[in-house]
């Protein structure tokens, strides 16, 4: 599969997710503004992938800086970090990655500028490689929850496309599939941006993993008909009390799963756990352009002009609805997150 994000000869290459599945196109970002735009416009999306891209954005900013000493470079990069941090508010991986790059910059402060710049590229590459390793570890732990023959419902895209590779929720599915379990996935289309239809269905089909696409409103009846044994989703931010922010519609899936006695799991790495945020009520929820709702992917108007629209990109699922959080360290009850990750 084409990598979601990579560093290539002084530029950042992104698989343009706004064009999938119709067009498989690579977007090359040669300046920090285009990296910020790509994140804002969902050309790259998914919490871990945004984090990796932002880290590479900081490295790119360093390469382009004309600073003549460390303090000028630090000043240039503080502007770069501010620009990248202002792109999307909910996924904590973005802020986590920016902070990690700032820390690396500080650690390298006594080195010559050229070594600092190389060190920042190296650090962003480590974040990318670490992300893939974390996904594979989550996969190993989470696969134990899946039995042969089961059908897993997922919402949005928490796959290779949402990470540096392999995926969180879909990483668990992938690991179970690689173990030889005959499983199937039901992908919610995920209105309004259709990450489930455009990305999850595409990604799973690339790997030959059986997937059935449904509209969001169909999840309930499929559960009632006994067609779903497990729900696994990703996360954009997990608060200290185990509440989880994820793509809008996730909460509805969790409530439906509870009503039908189906276990609902969240898969996420440590970089998604935000112990500084006490509960889901404290998570900033991104509000997006009403046009995402009033048009079909911007091409076709599907609502009367001037209609009032509410378009939060994420919702919060309270910890009590979550059977477990699948992490690289194991599967924990949501209220145990604080103990295992502080
Ligand atoms: O708006 P998006 O597409 O960035 O939202 C992505 C999600 O909500 C994913 O489920 C989440 O980031 C987990 S990705 C491993």
């Amino acid at each position: 599969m084409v990598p979601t994000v990579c560093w290539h000869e002084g530029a950042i290459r992104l698989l343009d997710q706004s064009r999938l599945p119709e067009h498989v196109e690579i977007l090359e970002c040669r300046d920090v503004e285009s990296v910020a735009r790509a994140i804002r416009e969902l050309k790259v999306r998914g919490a871990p992938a945004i984090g990796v891209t932002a880290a590479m954005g900081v490295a790119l900013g360093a390469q382009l800086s004309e600073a003549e000493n460390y303090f000028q470079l630090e000043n240039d990069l503080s502007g770069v970090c501010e620009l990248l941090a202002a792109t999307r508010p909910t996924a904590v991986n973005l802020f986590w990655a920016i902070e990690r790059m700032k820390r690396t910059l500080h650690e390298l402060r006594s080195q010559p500028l050229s070594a600092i710049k190389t060190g920042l590229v190296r650090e962003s590459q480590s974040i990318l490689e670490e992300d893939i390793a974390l996904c594979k570890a989550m996969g190993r732990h989470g696969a134990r929850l899946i039995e042969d023959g089961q059908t897993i419902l997922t919402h949005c895209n928490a796959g290779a496309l949402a990470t540096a590779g392999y995926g969180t929720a879909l990483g668990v599915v992938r690991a179970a599939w690689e173990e030889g379990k005959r499983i199937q996935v039901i992908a919610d289309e995920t209105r309004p941006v259709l990450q489930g239809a455009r990305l999850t269905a595409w990604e799973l089909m690339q790997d030959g993993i059986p997937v059935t696409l449904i509209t969001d409103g169909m999840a309930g009846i499929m559960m009632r008909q006994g067609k779903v044994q497990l729900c696994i989703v990703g996360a954009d931010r997990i608060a200290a009390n185990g509440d989880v922010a994820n793509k809008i519609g996730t909460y509805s899936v969790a409530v439906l799963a509870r009503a039908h006695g189906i276990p609902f799991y969240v898969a996420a790495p440590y970089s998604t756990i935000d112990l500084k945020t006490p509960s889901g009520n404290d998570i900033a929820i991104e509000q997006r352009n009403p046009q995402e709702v009033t048009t079909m992917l911007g091409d076709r108007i599907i609502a009367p002009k001037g209609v009032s629209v509410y378009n939060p990109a994420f919702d919060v699922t309270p910890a009590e609805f979550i059977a477990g959080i699948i992490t690289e360290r194991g599967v924990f009850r949501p209220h145990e997150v604080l103990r295992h990750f502080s």
Side-chain angles (χ1 to χ4, degrees):
M1 202 161 121
V2 191
T4 313
V5 47
C6 65
W7 182 264
H8 182 80
E9 294 176 358
I12 302 170
R13 284 192 167 173
L14 301 170
L15 173 58
D16 186 344
Q17 300 190 35
S18 65
R19 305 279 287 156
L20 286 172
E22 220 181 340
H23 305 280
V24 181
E25 281 178 11
I26 303 298
L27 175 72
E28 197 159 273
C29 299
R30 299 200 154 271
D31 55 64
V32 178
E33 287 71 22
S34 55
V35 178
R37 203 176 320 117
I39 297 175
R40 246 190 330 264
E41 296 177 358
L42 311 186
K43 292 179 183 302
V44 58
R45 34 65 52 203
I50 296 173
V52 173
T53 306
M56 289 193 172
V58 176
L60 180 61
Q63 310 311 303
L64 298 175
S65 165
E66 289 172 0
E68 286 174 4
N69 58 49
Y70 174 78
F71 294 102
Q72 286 174 4
L73 179 64
E74 193 183 40
N75 191 44
D76 285 354
L77 290 189
S78 125
V80 165
C81 291
E82 251 175 59
L83 177 71
L84 292 167
T87 50
R88 299 193 73 192
T90 305
V92 74
N93 310 58
L94 175 76
F95 308 101
W96 168 87
I98 292 172
E99 280 313 309
R100 182 156 154 181
M101 293 302 282
K102 280 188 186 164
R103 230 174 20 248
T104 303
L105 173 67
H106 187 71
E107 283 161 14
L108 295 171
R109 67 193 177 284
S110 54
Q111 307 272 328
L113 285 180
S114 59
I116 298 179
K117 292 182 180 188
T118 316
L120 289 172
V121 175
R122 208 180 305 119
E123 185 65 7
S124 67
Q125 188 60 31
S126 308
I127 293 177
L128 180 147
E129 283 160 21
E130 181 189 290
D131 185 58
I132 298 173
L134 291 169
C135 287
K136 293 204 167 157
M138 272 178 266
R140 279 194 299 277
H141 292 298
R144 293 194 203 121
L145 303 167
I146 303 179
E147 287 170 26
D148 189 33
Q150 286 192 325
T151 298
I152 302 110
L153 183 138
T154 191
H155 191 74
C156 192
N157 172 268
L161 291 168
T163 58
Y166 206 70
T168 57
L170 293 190
V172 172
V173 165
R174 232 174 221 118
W177 179 256
E178 285 165 6
E179 284 174 9
K181 291 177 183 161
R182 288 155 298 175
I183 53 173
Q184 299 193 40
V185 174
I186 292 175
D188 278 354
E189 64 169 348
T190 317
R191 275 279 287 156
V193 182
L194 306 180
Q195 288 92 335
R198 296 187 304 105
L199 308 177
T200 295
W202 182 79
E203 175 177 333
L204 291 174
M205 287 174 77
Q206 296 284 308
D207 274 7
I209 301 174
V211 54
T212 300
L213 175 65
I214 61 169
T215 67
D216 298 339
M218 296 172 188
I221 194 63
M222 294 215 71
M223 291 185 192
R224 191 168 168 80
Q225 289 170 348
K227 291 179 177 154
V228 178
Q229 282 75 50
L230 214 59
C231 297
I232 311 180
V233 300
D236 287 86
R237 193 185 290 233
I238 302 178
N241 71 343
D243 290 352
V244 169
N246 192 48
K247 179 52 54 192
I248 189 73
T250 301
Y251 172 56
S252 310
V253 173
V255 173
L256 283 170
R258 165 63 57 89
H260 293 91
I262 298 166
F264 177 92
Y265 286 96
V266 172
Y270 78 97
S271 51
T272 305
I273 298 171
D274 178 16
L275 299 178
K276 286 202 235 82
T277 297
S279 86
N281 295 334
D282 307 299
I283 299 176
I285 300 292
E286 177 181 8
Q287 298 292 326
R288 291 191 64 88
N289 192 328
Q291 269 193 12
E292 286 181 353
V293 177
T294 58
T295 64
M296 215 55 198
L297 297 177
D299 289 340
R300 174 113 205 258
I301 294 168
I302 57 164
K305 202 167 178 231
V307 68
S308 154
V309 170
Y310 178 51
N311 187 22
F314 302 97
D315 57 27
V316 171
T317 299
E320 69 202 77
F321 289 92
I322 301 167
I325 299 190
I326 304 163
T327 73
E328 69 279 6
R329 298 189 198 166
V331 183
F332 305 113
R333 306 288 300 204
H335 65 268
E336 292 175 333
V337 160
L338 186 60
R339 182 155 61 84
H340 285 281
F341 288 89
S342 52

